[in-house]
Amino acid sequence: MDKRSATTIASVLSEALPYLQRLNNKTIVIKFGGNAMTDDALKNSFARDIVLLKQVGVNPVVVHGGGPQIGKLLEQIGKESKFIDGMRVTDSETMDVVEMVLGGLVNKSIVSLINHNGGQAVGLTGKDGSMIRAKKMKITRESPEAQAPEIIDLGHVGEVTTIDPSIVNALDEGNFIPVIAPIGVGEDAASYNINADLVAGKMASVLGAEKLLLLTNTPGILDKEENILTGLDGKKVSELIKDGTIAGGMLPKVNCALDAVHSGVKTSHIIDGRVEHAVLLELLTDEGVGTLISS
Ligand SMILES: Nc1ncnc2c1ncn2[C@@H]1O[C@H](COP(=O)(O)OP(=O)(O)OP(=O)(O)O)[C@@H](O)[C@H]1O
Ligand SMILES: [Mg+2]
């Protein structure tokens, strides 16, 4: 390494000092979107960033999605994927695949990448320690033809009723990094497929996290002309939902980001997980890399 690049590294580290001081001992919930984790090199650098955070005294809690990975396995077994309002319709057979892919393949691949980079990750689903209690999500749709709103059955799609943070706190104290798959358990012991953004948002609230980072596959929230909206509050978000600018998978994401800031999380950020070191850029530099959601 020449002297100039060594000096650059030293000054970059030095510039991070105030951020590190502010984030010391703070919990950051990071949602790693299934769509942001399709590139192996990026996945590895994400894992390395998480290890670095833990090393410098921040408590990262990872919640992951896995939509594309679930879709791929369903396709391999010849089962069609169907979505309503950005949510996967989940019959019992699909739920088995969701549990296998999210709780198995995807969860363990993140755990092992973190561990490979020198961290100590522990993978969990919401069933472990009965951490995430869930109930069936009920959605309705109104149409001009129908007299009453139509109830739409999404099968095993759930919403969070409660999160018990004790297992996550215990892992943090033991210096482990929790990696959570968004599967909840119902009162009837049934499994529920929960949108990972919902779990990450509630987890951030329950843990009293400093920040919620939602990594996805867009530069942030985009307007109709595809320009990035760098800062939004509740009022602006409702307008963008109303006029259809925010749709699909961005809907649950932005709602969770808002819920989190309304329940004590300082800031939520929707950031581009396809940018290398997106997490470090957002947390340790002035370079915000996405949309900041505040109350
Ligand atoms: N206004 C908007 N700005 C940006 N993206 C939007 C907007 N409206 C809708 N979207 C869609 O939302 C998608 C992100 O949500 P999506 O659920 O697909 O990914 P994810 O949540 O990161 O992954 P996973 O659901 O697997 O965890 C974008 O890829 C984009 O297609
Ligand atoms: Mg999503």
Side-chain angles (χ1 to χ4, degrees), residues 21-51:
Q21 286 168 326
R22 229 174 290 147
L23 294 175
N24 190 39
N25 246 327
K26 296 276 171 27
T27 297
I28 309 289
V29 174
I30 302 161
K31 190 263 175 155
F32 194 28
N35 279 313
M37 56 166 108
T38 40
D39 180 291
D40 283 342
L42 272 178
K43 239 170 100 176
N44 189 57
S45 81
F46 169 82
R48 205 178 154 84
D49 290 355
I50 298 298
V51 174

Side-chain angles (χ1 to χ4, degrees), residues 31 33-35 65-68 215-218 220-222 245 247 249-250 253:
K31 190 263 175 155
N35 279 313
L215 271 66
T216 186
N217 65 340
T218 70
I221 298 182
L222 306 175
T245 308
M250 194 52 78
K253 206 180 299 298

Side-chain angles (χ1 to χ4, degrees), residues 15-263:
E15 275 167 32
L17 179 64
Y19 295 94
L20 293 173
Q21 286 168 326
R22 229 174 290 147
L23 294 175
N24 190 39
N25 246 327
K26 296 276 171 27
T27 297
I28 309 289
V29 174
I30 302 161
K31 190 263 175 155
F32 194 28
N35 279 313
M37 56 166 108
T38 40
D39 180 291
D40 283 342
L42 272 178
K43 239 170 100 176
N44 189 57
S45 81
F46 169 82
R48 205 178 154 84
D49 290 355
I50 298 298
V51 174
L52 189 145
L53 288 179
K54 190 74 177 174
Q55 189 69 43
V56 298
V58 182
N59 292 324
V61 174
V62 178
V63 177
H64 62 83
Q69 295 79 358
I70 294 165
K72 195 170 150 202
L73 190 64
L74 286 172
E75 199 186 305
Q76 282 166 355
I77 64 166
K79 211 169 154 63
E80 204 193 328
S81 290
K82 206 175 136 197
F83 291 89
I84 296 174
D85 290 347
M87 282 166 299
R88 178 184 297 281
V89 179
T90 310
D91 62 14
S92 296
E93 200 182 39
T94 304
M95 188 62 228
D96 288 346
V97 172
V98 168
E99 206 155 351
M100 283 187 254
V101 173
L102 286 184
L105 209 60
V106 176
N107 186 275
K108 296 316 165 206
S109 78
I110 300 170
V111 165
S112 59
L113 276 178
I114 290 176
N115 294 349
H116 182 71
N117 281 287
Q120 280 186 292
V122 175
L124 305 161
T125 75
K127 286 184 154 178
D128 293 285
S130 300
M131 174 173 52
I132 304 169
R133 298 269 179 192
K135 64 175 186 201
K136 190 176 167 85
M137 183 182 267
K138 293 219 169 84
I139 61 167
T140 53
R141 184 176 280 174
E142 298 197 39
S143 65
E145 309 89 63
Q147 283 174 344
E150 181 194 0
I151 296 170
I152 295 165
D153 189 0
L154 295 167
H156 284 256
V157 173
E159 57 183 290
V160 178
T161 49
T162 54
I163 292 185
D164 175 357
S166 45
I167 187 164
V168 170
N169 289 329
L171 290 173
D172 272 344
E173 274 160 32
N175 227 18
F176 293 101
I177 300 168
V179 177
I180 300 161
I183 294 164
V185 57
E187 264 180 13
D188 46 0
S191 303
Y192 285 99
N193 174 20
I194 310 174
N195 182 292
D197 301 326
L198 291 178
V199 170
K202 269 271 164 57
M203 187 64 78
S205 313
V206 167
L207 293 171
E210 182 76 7
K211 283 173 193 280
L212 167 67
L213 303 187
L214 300 160
L215 271 66
T216 186
N217 65 340
T218 70
I221 298 182
L222 306 175
D223 67 14
K224 288 250 194 266
E225 285 75 45
E226 311 250 299
N227 300 309
I228 173 159
L229 298 161
T230 52
L232 292 175
D233 58 18
K235 193 166 159 269
K236 286 230 187 71
V237 166
S238 340
E239 286 166 18
L240 294 167
I241 293 176
K242 231 188 218 153
D243 75 8
T245 308
I246 295 177
M250 194 52 78
L251 272 174
K253 206 180 299 298
V254 74
N255 283 324
C256 295
L258 266 178
D259 284 350
V261 292
H262 285 141
S263 53

